[in-house]
Amino acid sequence: YAIQEGKTLTLAIRVDSLEKDYEPYARITVSDNGPGYASRVLGKLQNGTPITDQNGEHIGIRNVMRRAGLIFGDNASCRFYNQAGAVICLTLPATFR
């Protein structure tokens, strides 16, 4: 998350339940009030492309998606977008098989 000097960063975490194909799912949404994703970064996040910059490779989001895929397969999904800041929306089955 982007931290700007002199501005308070607010994080919001929301968990909702929903049903897909008669199965229970959880939607976990994390958002902030920062500048949002840069368009270059947002495109890479949406395509699952690794993100690298002058500080090296950022692997946190990729690790979360890889682990969700190992546990839930194609039933896990993730969306990234900007809405008054950066938003990540992770949808996972609410039950284990």
Side-chain angles (χ1 to χ4, degrees), residues 42-63:
L42 186 57
K44 287 185 174 191
L45 288 169
Q46 291 170 335
N47 294 325
T49 305
I51 300 168
T52 57
D53 62 16
Q54 67 274 14
N55 297 319
E57 188 174 3
H58 299 268
I59 60 172
I61 291 173
R62 196 171 58 177
N63 280 344

Side-chain angles (χ1 to χ4, degrees), residues 8-66:
T8 301
L9 178 68
T10 302
L11 293 176
I13 301 170
R14 179 180 172 143
V15 179
D16 295 299
S17 63
L18 64 132
E19 192 174 283
K20 288 173 58 175
D21 299 324
Y22 304 103
E23 296 290 332
Y25 278 75
R27 179 179 297 135
I28 304 161
T29 306
V30 181
S31 59
D32 69 26
N33 65 335
Y37 300 110
S39 58
R40 177 186 73 81
V41 171
L42 186 57
K44 287 185 174 191
L45 288 169
Q46 291 170 335
N47 294 325
T49 305
I51 300 168
T52 57
D53 62 16
Q54 67 274 14
N55 297 319
E57 188 174 3
H58 299 268
I59 60 172
I61 291 173
R62 196 171 58 177
N63 280 344
V64 168
M65 292 310 303
R66 187 176 299 149

Side-chain angles (χ1 to χ4, degrees), residues 20 25 65 67-69 71-78 90-93:
K20 288 173 58 175
Y25 278 75
M65 292 310 303
R67 289 177 187 187
I71 295 169
F72 301 109
D74 291 337
N75 291 319
S77 66
C78 191
L90 182 62
T91 302
L92 304 169

